[in-house]
Structure formats: structure tokens, C-alpha cells
Amino acid sequence: MKMEHTLWGHLPLLVRSNSKDSVEYILQALWRTRKTGLDAADRHIISDMLQLQNDSDLDPLLVCLRMLIRRCVYDNISKDEIRKLFPAEVLPELQRLLTLLLQKFQREWREDVMKDKNCNQATLPRLKAMTWNMANQEAAEAIDPVAVINLKLQDDVQSQVGELDVKFQLGKDTMDAMLSSMYCIRDQLSNTTE
């Protein structure tokens, strides 16, 4: 996956920063706000560090840096291969600085990602059992047949372990749409495993 040439052209703005610590602050701020985005205060601090007159110059730089961080962390790029992420047009001193900082934080950031994954997985209930039957409806109200679905979910949250029963009804149209979607998901999963 190659980044667009136009994004790389914004990296030299980092040379305007006062020090390596400023660039380190920018990378850490981007990582810290990876889920929420930078707030106005952080944007102002970074603009001041880079002596930017125009806020529109900041966004392309931040996009480029976020892409670098993602590649480094999520694509499991080895420390030795980080430098290979940069095309030749990126200044060598800038490549060295960013490589050094990305290597410095890569392990810590990957651990953050694993913690996020573990937290997210632990809070989701899993399907333990599913049964269904046709609803018993009186002849007067039986306009369309309805399937009653019973799900038994296992909640493995550390503070409490328990089962949850969920019951709902589906009409033919809703059931058809749901099954059609599930067939698509099945086909996509089959294609990825092949």
C-alpha cells in the first residue's frame, strides 16, 4: 500500500519544529487521540510548534503521520523495515528522525492495540445456543406466519459471568433479508479462507 505522493510533500513541515522533542510530542499526541481526533488545544500547540500560519497546512501533515503510525503499528512492520516506508523524496534527516521515533514507540503502541482488542473482546457476549419455533397465533390475528427466535448468550465480563436469554420474532420478509445477508457473509468468509 503506497501513500500518495502529495501527502509525502507535507512531511518537510516537521523540519520547522524546534526539536526532536516537538516531533515526538506530535507523534504521541496523534497516537493518544487515535480514536477521537485532535482537539482544538492540541491542534493549536502543534501549529505553534511548526510555526504554521495556515491551519489548512496542518491536516495533510497529520494525515500522513497517522498513516505512517498505522502502517508501523497495525501492519507489524519490523523495526528494520520502517525506513523502507519512506520514498526517496523524503529528506534523509527526516527519515532518520521519524524512523527513530517510530521504533521508539512501536512496541508500546502495539501493546496498546492488544489491550484495546482484549478489552473489546471481553465485553462482547457470545452465542451459546439458538432455538426457534413458529409462533402460536390465533386464527384471527394470524395474518403472516412469525418465527420466534430464542438466543442464549454467554456474558464473560470479568466482573460477572452469566447467561442472558434474548427472544424476538421475525416475519417472512425480515427473515428473507437476514438470511440473504448471512449468505453474503458466508460467501465472503469462504473466499477469504481460500
Side-chain angles (χ1 to χ4, degrees):
M1 175 173 121
K2 295 201 177 233
M3 289 191 220
E4 291 183 26
H5 175 74
T6 55
L7 284 177
W8 290 113
H10 296 278
L11 279 180
L13 291 173
L14 290 173
V15 176
R16 296 179 175 193
S17 68
N18 303 334
S19 65
K20 172 188 163 219
D21 291 340
S22 298
V23 178
E24 183 173 322
Y25 174 86
I26 293 168
L27 292 176
Q28 285 284 63
L30 288 172
W31 181 255
R32 178 176 34 84
T33 61
R34 66 190 178 278
K35 296 177 185 175
T36 59
L38 288 173
D39 61 19
D42 276 326
R43 290 179 66 82
H44 182 72
I45 290 169
I46 293 171
S47 288
D48 284 351
M49 285 179 174
L50 300 176
Q51 303 160 28
L52 296 177
Q53 303 302 320
N54 192 343
D55 202 38
S56 64
D57 292 333
L58 183 61
D59 288 325
L61 172 64
L62 297 178
V63 168
C64 186
L65 291 173
R66 283 194 190 276
M67 290 172 69
L68 271 172
I69 290 170
R70 272 192 218 107
R71 290 285 315 274
C72 181
V73 175
Y74 293 99
D75 292 353
N76 201 15
I77 304 286
S78 74
K79 287 186 175 184
D80 299 330
E81 293 177 353
I82 291 174
R83 183 168 286 187
K84 296 176 186 174
L85 294 175
F86 302 99
E89 64 261 21
V90 176
L91 300 170
E93 60 270 16
L94 204 47
Q95 286 186 32
R96 280 192 291 280
L97 175 61
L98 287 171
T99 299
L100 178 74
L101 291 172
L102 289 169
Q103 286 176 338
K104 177 179 179 180
F105 296 114
Q106 185 183 31
R107 187 168 149 239
E108 175 188 333
W109 291 344
R110 286 194 54 74
E111 288 173 2
D112 289 346
V113 169
M114 295 309 293
K115 286 177 193 171
D116 289 349
K117 282 184 180 178
N118 289 339
C119 288
N120 290 339
Q121 288 175 351
T123 59
L124 296 175
R126 59 187 168 86
L127 180 64
K128 188 172 179 183
M130 180 179 124
T131 58
W132 69 275
N133 61 0
M134 295 303 293
N136 292 332
Q137 295 179 327
E138 298 296 321
E141 61 182 66
I143 300 167
D144 290 322
V146 175
V148 178
I149 311 293
N150 297 295
L151 303 177
K152 188 174 288 287
L153 303 174
Q154 179 73 40
D155 193 359
D156 294 329
V157 177
Q158 292 176 352
S159 61
Q160 62 178 27
V161 176
E163 291 181 357
L164 177 66
D165 290 320
V166 177
K167 187 179 206 175
F168 56 94
Q169 297 180 352
L170 294 174
K172 183 181 181 326
D173 291 342
T174 308
M175 181 69 82
D176 286 343
M178 185 180 83
L179 289 174
S180 176
S181 296
M182 293 182 87
Y183 284 129
C184 288
I185 293 169
R186 182 201 61 191
D187 292 343
Q188 288 176 353
L189 287 172
S190 296
N191 290 338
T192 57
T193 56
E194 291 170 2

